[in-house]
Amino acid sequence: MEKETQKKVLLSGIQPSGDLHLGNYLGAIKNWAELSDQFECYWFMADLHTITVRQNPADLRRRTLTQIAVYIACGLDPEKNTIFVQSHVPAHAELGWVLDCYTMFGELSRMTQFKDKSAKHADNINAGLFTYPCLMAADILLYQPDFVPVGEDQKQHVEICRDIANRFNHVYGEVFRMPEPYIPKQGARVMSLNQPDTKMSKSIPEGCVFLLEKPEDILRKFKRAVTDSDTEHCVRYAPGEKPGVSNLIQIYAACTGKSFEDVEREFDGKGYGVFKPAVGEAVVETLRPIREETERLLADKAYLESVYRAGAEKASYVANKTLRKVYKKVGFLAP
Ligand code: TYM
């Protein structure tokens, strides 16, 4: 029992703003499942974050529930992991406000995600989009985690979270533990299949493989994947020169557990016509059990409800402890 309490803490979340895709899986959830035995883990659906961009309410509710089922289907056992919905734990929004007041306009303006999203949604550059990193910092700091496992694109947000925590600790003493980003060696940046210079995301659906997509659609997307215009036609890992092929090697390696060298050897002398369908098959086989288990879980709404209720209760207990400490430090009168 004592050992249990000494476990290091991990936390991460995904926005239920679109159907989960292979980038979310290889960059995040797959690694979470591998780490969940050794750490005390908090995994959540970042629904508060999604409304920085307009959402269809019914779709948001459906995707949030589906995401819980996918987490479990990917191997996150609710008995060992705390799985919850961000909006069910009000402390996130509450600490988010406090941290807004300890974050500078200049540092928020430099955030890549803010710049990208405000270019994409020029008609809705709202204050929430701008202060997004403060809410994300609150998500993290409430649980005092040691590590935050994320894909490469979220590293900047974990770094600003550290800056905010440092600033706060500097004024009030050691309130927050300093979290480290934990970026996987393989799969940290899965690129779009049809635009390999852009990261895989739901906004380019033809280049994006969704976790619950039908096998025949997945295979078709891989057959059409952009390779490279060079003449050597060989399966070689060289992201600068051969971004398309290197992305496929990365995906194949992450799905099969092989090294890049093993993959190069396996397809030595074979053309892209053999390689691309093989990657598609490996992905289909990786995703098949996840899809089947997700479908099974979605048929049992009462179970999913019991998971997220228990998760919110456990998460609230931990989060409120940190929040109370913060409120006391800044000088709010105890209720
Ligand atoms: P989000 O929802 O965009 O993505 C969730 C996770 O998936 C990873 N990811 C990728 N990894 C590799 N290749 C890709 N193409 C790819 N696309 C997405 C992301 O790096 C991330 O790990 N702000 C966060 C959500 C969040 C959060 C948090 C994360 C809110 N609060 C607190 C950690 C801790 C986001 O928008 O991720």
Side-chain angles (χ1 to χ4, degrees):
M1 189 64 210
E2 205 160 88
K3 225 173 167 196
E4 195 77 356
T5 55
Q6 286 168 0
K7 274 187 179 174
K8 297 229 181 214
V9 178
L10 288 189
L11 165 133
S12 200
I14 299 183
Q15 297 191 60
S17 51
D19 293 331
L20 292 175
H21 57 74
L22 194 63
N24 299 133
Y25 179 65
L26 297 179
I29 315 174
K30 177 173 182 281
N31 316 296
W32 302 354
E34 285 162 10
L35 296 164
S36 70
D37 273 341
Q38 313 154 43
F39 295 89
E40 183 188 332
C41 299
Y42 297 86
W43 313 117
F44 65 99
M45 322 304 130
D47 59 346
L48 294 176
H49 285 275
T50 66
I51 61 164
T52 52
V53 173
R54 291 281 174 270
Q55 302 291 330
N56 172 306
D59 287 347
L60 178 58
R61 252 187 296 278
R62 175 187 55 77
R63 282 194 308 257
T64 306
L65 195 70
T66 305
Q67 194 170 306
I68 299 170
V70 172
Y71 279 14
I72 303 171
C74 288
L76 301 175
D77 177 355
E79 299 292 322
K80 296 191 198 146
N81 296 267
T82 304
I83 297 175
F84 66 100
V85 179
Q86 185 188 26
S87 64
H88 295 178
V89 182
H92 288 248
E94 293 169 299
L95 182 61
W97 167 251
V98 174
L99 298 183
D100 279 351
C101 305
Y102 292 80
T103 310
M104 299 302 132
F105 184 89
E107 56 191 343
L108 290 174
S109 335
R110 288 192 289 274
M111 291 286 113
T112 313
Q113 184 167 304
F114 172 68
K115 288 194 242 168
D116 287 353
K117 286 207 173 162
S118 37
K120 244 188 233 162
H121 305 277
D123 55 338
N124 183 22
I125 307 178
N126 57 71
L129 196 60
F130 189 63
T131 61
Y132 182 112
C134 306
L135 180 59
M136 179 156 163
D139 299 338
I140 297 171
L141 298 173
L142 280 172
Y143 300 89
Q144 310 279 2
D146 297 278
F147 300 106
V148 182
V150 284
E152 187 68 47
D153 63 325
Q154 292 299 318
K155 194 170 165 215
Q156 194 185 35
H157 281 156
V158 182
E159 278 161 3
I160 193 177
C161 166
R162 288 169 57 89
D163 293 342
I164 299 169
N166 251 322
R167 183 172 301 135
F168 196 92
N169 283 354
H170 190 70
V171 182
Y172 300 105
E174 291 302 300
V175 178
F176 298 124
R177 179 178 293 162
M178 215 44 69
E180 298 277 346
Y182 188 105
I183 316 271
K185 290 197 182 70
Q186 282 184 358
R189 197 168 166 78
V190 178
M191 308 308 275
S192 164
L193 297 187
N194 64 346
Q195 291 177 35
D197 52 345
T198 314
K199 78 168 180 174
M200 181 178 283
S201 86
K202 60 178 188 301
S203 55
I204 317 173
E206 319 83 74
C208 181
V209 175
F210 296 98
L211 296 190
L212 305 179
E213 204 165 356
K214 288 199 219 102
E216 57 270 31
D217 293 340
I218 297 179
L219 291 173
R220 184 176 40 79
K221 284 182 180 173
F222 276 98
K223 279 188 192 138
R224 288 194 194 152
V226 169
T227 40
D228 302 296
S229 50
D230 61 5
T231 47
E232 67 174 18
H233 279 283
C234 98
V235 176
R236 185 165 62 82
Y237 188 77
E241 278 166 66
K242 297 163 77 80
V245 170
S246 302
N247 186 40
L248 294 175
I249 293 178
Q250 172 186 222
I251 293 172
Y252 188 76
C255 288
T256 57
K258 293 176 183 167
S259 67
F260 295 169
E261 296 75 34
D262 286 343
V263 181
E264 287 174 347
R265 231 171 284 128
E266 185 176 340
F267 293 95
D268 187 24
K270 298 181 184 142
Y272 298 154
V274 174
F275 179 54
K276 291 201 286 183
V279 183
E281 287 291 348
V283 170
V284 164
E285 287 320 311
T286 302
L287 299 185
R288 188 188 305 282
I290 296 173
R291 192 187 66 245
E292 289 172 359
E293 183 61 3
T294 302
E295 281 164 7
R296 196 187 67 75
L297 288 162
L298 280 173
D300 190 353
K301 299 271 187 306
Y303 171 69
L304 293 175
E305 226 174 271
S306 72
V307 168
Y308 69 68
R309 287 227 173 101
E313 201 175 308
K314 271 167 72 187
S316 295
Y317 177 79
V318 178
N320 286 334
K321 256 190 4 202
T322 304
L323 186 68
R324 273 198 304 275
K325 197 165 170 189
V326 168
Y327 276 11
K328 191 168 168 197
K329 290 284 185 186
V330 298
F332 294 161
L333 183 66

